Every structure is written in structure tokens, then in C-alpha cells.
Amino acid sequence: MSFWKPGAASGSAGAPWSSSVIVDEGGGGAEVVPASPFNFSRKPLDLQRQALPIARHRRQILYAIEKYPVTIIVGETGSGKSTQLPQYLRENGWSDSGFS
């Protein structure tokens, strides 16, 4: 088995982005299975943003932020909380007073 080294060509065996994944379920034998890539980069940026779980709650979140002095947003990792909320606020004029 060869391991990927930083700086090695991307097509080298064992690279983290290679087309197979080694799975060891604790039974003592590891198995190489084809990777199923999950890659949004092929979609336009606006479609990537719409695909995030937080996108369908945008209107309700902005309403809650307007109406209540404290709003707590809870969501799973990767749902778009830290990347989309600042964009939603900026797009709706919250940074017009000089805070960007």
C-alpha cells in the first residue's frame, strides 16, 4: 500500500481525492470500495446556495432577526449557518450603516 504525500501529483495512489476509499469496519480486514463523490463545485454558485438546508428557512430567519432582539440559529454542520447568514444579512441591508 502506498500513502499520499503532500506535494505529490493528484492522481497518485492513496490520495485523499482518489477514486476509491479504504473501509475498515473493525472486523480486521480493510476493503477498498469505489468512492461516491459529493461535489457541489460543478453547479453554479446560486444553485449551491439554494441546495443548502438553511436556504428554505431564509425568510423565517430574517423575520425572526427583525422581530426579536436575540435569535439563536441551530442546525447541523454544513447546513449553511456560518456562510449564508452573513450573506442574507448583507443582502437585506444590515451592513448599509458601514459595518461590512
Side-chain angles (χ1 to χ4, degrees):
M1 171 184 227
S2 63
F3 292 95
W4 174 79
K5 295 179 184 172
S10 64
S12 64
W17 51 82
S18 67
S19 61
S20 61
V21 177
I22 298 174
V23 178
D24 182 7
E25 297 186 2
E31 176 184 359
V32 177
V33 295
S36 55
F38 182 74
N39 186 354
F40 275 123
S41 66
R42 294 185 183 134
K43 293 182 181 179
L45 187 57
D46 59 332
L47 292 178
Q48 292 179 42
R49 288 181 68 190
Q50 292 171 9
L52 291 169
I54 199 168
R56 70 189 116 173
H57 303 289
R58 177 183 175 156
R59 225 179 66 218
Q60 294 90 343
I61 291 169
L62 290 171
Y63 173 80
I65 291 171
E66 278 281 335
K67 181 144 174 82
Y68 303 105
V70 176
T71 304
I72 299 172
I73 308 294
V74 178
E76 293 191 26
T77 302
S79 64
K81 299 177 304 292
S82 61
T83 59
Q84 299 307 300
L85 280 174
Q87 291 182 46
Y88 294 165
L89 294 174
R90 183 171 183 157
E91 290 168 357
N92 286 280
W94 282 76
S95 64
D96 290 347
S97 63
F99 298 101
S100 53

